[in-house]
Structures are given as C-alpha cells and as structure tokens.
Amino acid sequence: MTRSLRFACFTLLLLLVGCAGVDIEDYAESEPRLDIAEYFTGTTRAWGMVQDYSGEVQRRFTVDIEGTYENNTLTLDEAFVFSDGETDRRVWTFERIDEHHWIGTANDVQEPVEARQYGHAFHMRYPLEIEISGRMITFTMDDWMYLQPDGRLINRTSMRKFGLTLGEITLIFEQTGPS
C-alpha cells in the first residue's frame, strides 16, 4: 500500500469516526424520565472539571443555578466559581417547542440552539467562543445530560474543533432547593 493510499484511508477513517454518534431518540424508553423544566426549576448546584485532549484536568469549578419556568420558558441563571477564584455568569433561556424539543439562547452563545430530550437524556450542540491563552477560539460544544436514578444529573460535553475532540467538560448536578 502506498503512503498516499494509507494517508487517504486514515483520513477517511477519521471522517467516519467523527460522523458516528448516538441518536437521542435511542433513549426514548429509558427511565427515569428527564424534563429539564422540572429538573432545573428551583436551586441546583453542580461540580465540574475541564479536561484537555490528553485527559489532564485543566480547571475545576462549581456552578450555582437558579431556575424558573413560566409560560413554557425555562431560565437558568448560572454563577460559576473556578478553583483559581475566577467567576463567570451565563444565563440560558429555553423555550419549550413540544414534549421533546427546546430552543435555547444564552448571553455568550451567538445563535439559537436546538435541544432535544428523550427518556433520561438531553442533548444540544452549539458553537461557543472560549478564551485560551489570550486567544478567542470557537469550539463546537456537544452537550449531553443523563438523569440518574438517585436524582443526580451527569453532564458530559465534548469541545470540538475541526471534528476533533480537544477537551471535555464533566459536571454532576444536584437539586438543592425547592422547585
């Protein structure tokens, strides 16, 4: 096999792996059922970490979330505190389209985001600009949440650029106040 043919095969393999993925509808019958409006209404706390492409933890943080749900609109006011003392705030607004579909916007996300929930899972994919070493880089965030039987919610987000996963974010959510 020639070098150029091996390179072409390797490139095709990378493209195929990058296109493969789980369809959220595969979780339609799973339990417990997740409804983000029910889960996030009230006070929620999350503990998280950001890992780079090698798996090394780059940052740790907590998030306190105040959620309200009125007129088919869920608002999540998220206050981040990073282990180095840095703070940040993001406000998500999700409009319920139907039982399974939402449209979300956030103060630091440029375009509306289509989100879907089926069974115990929630998924959305969106571009997010992040400062890294003084440069602004736009990543595609592939965001999955999974409700656990004990009521905790696990969130795994892949940070992708040019189809490659360059980082991952993991969060564990726990409801802390009345809904």
Side-chain angles (χ1 to χ4, degrees):
M1 186 182 292
T2 67
R3 175 178 253 170
S4 61
L5 184 56
R6 279 194 303 253
F7 178 75
C9 289
F10 179 73
T11 302
L12 180 61
L13 178 64
L14 282 177
L15 289 173
L16 290 174
V17 169
C19 294
V22 175
D23 185 343
I24 190 153
E25 292 182 29
D26 292 345
Y27 297 115
E29 302 304 316
S30 65
E31 295 284 339
R33 296 255 187 246
L34 172 62
D35 182 295
I36 63 166
E38 290 175 13
Y39 190 87
F40 284 108
T41 297
T43 305
T44 306
R45 175 161 257 220
W47 298 263
M49 65 182 175
V50 180
Q51 294 170 272
D52 66 15
Y53 65 92
S54 72
E56 182 179 345
V57 175
Q58 297 296 313
R59 298 189 89 182
R60 291 174 295 134
F61 59 93
T62 58
V63 187
D64 288 308
I65 303 165
E66 289 297 324
T68 57
Y69 184 63
E70 295 177 13
N71 300 321
N72 285 329
T73 300
L74 173 65
T75 302
L76 303 177
D77 190 343
E78 304 174 335
F80 293 80
V81 178
F82 293 88
S83 57
D84 64 3
E86 180 184 346
T87 61
D88 198 4
R89 182 171 180 232
R90 175 177 295 135
V91 178
W92 277 103
T93 302
F94 290 96
E95 180 185 345
R96 186 187 293 270
I97 305 305
D98 61 34
E99 177 184 3
H100 301 290
H101 298 87
W102 297 84
I103 298 293
T105 58
N107 54 304
D108 59 351
V109 176
Q110 294 182 2
E111 311 239 344
V113 177
E114 293 183 34
R116 300 188 301 158
Q117 62 185 23
Y118 282 87
H120 78 285
F122 175 85
H123 178 247
M124 61 183 175
R125 184 177 292 127
Y126 56 95
L128 183 65
E129 196 173 58
I130 299 172
E131 183 179 342
I132 298 178
S133 301
R135 287 183 52 208
M136 297 306 288
I137 299 174
T138 301
F139 290 93
T140 298
M141 309 300 278
D142 190 17
D143 199 341
W144 287 87
M145 295 182 191
Y146 304 96
L147 183 59
Q148 302 304 298
D150 67 1
R152 288 186 180 93
L153 187 66
I154 298 173
N155 184 186
R156 302 243 334 156
T157 303
S158 297
M159 301 169 61
R160 296 188 176 137
K161 186 79 177 170
F162 305 118
L164 300 173
T165 299
L166 299 179
E168 292 191 343
I169 302 169
T170 305
L171 291 126
I172 307 295
F173 294 91
E174 187 172 289
Q175 296 167 316
T176 56
S179 50

